[in-house]
Amino acid sequence: MDTKTEAELMKFRNYTRILEQWIAVKQRNISFDSWFIENQFKKIAVYGMGRIGQLFINEMADSNVKICFGIDKGQTAGVSQVKVVHPQDEFDEADLIVVTAMAEFAEIKRSLKKKVPCPVVSLEDIIYELY
């Protein structure tokens, strides 16, 4: 197996594990917004408008936490019910940025911390804290 295939397989396994934990959290009737409210984050941005990002935005739709905008470096026209900006664009301040592109989290966080004063966290970390 070549290195690229191994990396893709590892990414798939990690996302599967994270989604299993997410389902377990839901089955225990624990909501994401409880974590945000407990940590006093009322306005958040979501980095990553792929499938995980869209699921997360849908999950937060009826919560007391406002998703102000999404951030994605790919083609974003019409992919989300929230405004989506490119990471190089100027964007509004948020209380927190949640990264749903978890395989690239370290690189994304490093890049965003040069640009924004708010905390940048991985969705994976939130899920494991709730679990």
Side-chain angles (χ1 to χ4, degrees), residues 15-34:
Y15 280 167
T16 300
R17 182 179 39 80
I18 291 162
L19 288 172
E20 288 171 348
Q21 298 299 325
W22 186 339
I23 291 168
V25 167
K26 285 206 53 91
Q27 288 175 337
R28 293 171 49 208
N29 293 320
I30 299 170
S31 65
F32 276 107
D33 64 339
S34 65

Side-chain angles (χ1 to χ4, degrees), residues 69-114:
F69 58 94
I71 307 166
D72 199 286
K73 62 183 176 183
Q75 182 65 274
T76 58
V79 299
S80 179
Q81 61 267 37
V82 298
K83 174 183 152 189
V84 180
V85 298
H86 190 276
Q88 301 305 316
D89 294 344
E90 291 297 318
F91 44 82
D92 298 331
E93 244 183 77
D95 297 333
L96 175 78
I97 298 176
V98 176
V99 178
T100 64
M102 294 163 281
E104 296 86 27
F105 175 68
E107 178 184 327
I108 292 167
K109 180 178 181 177
R110 192 171 28 261
S111 173
L112 287 173
K113 289 311 287 177
K114 295 175 187 173

Side-chain angles (χ1 to χ4, degrees), residues 58-73:
N58 290 340
E59 183 78 17
M60 296 298 294
D62 294 328
S63 76
N64 293 320
V65 178
K66 181 178 187 221
I67 296 183
C68 303
F69 58 94
I71 307 166
D72 199 286
K73 62 183 176 183

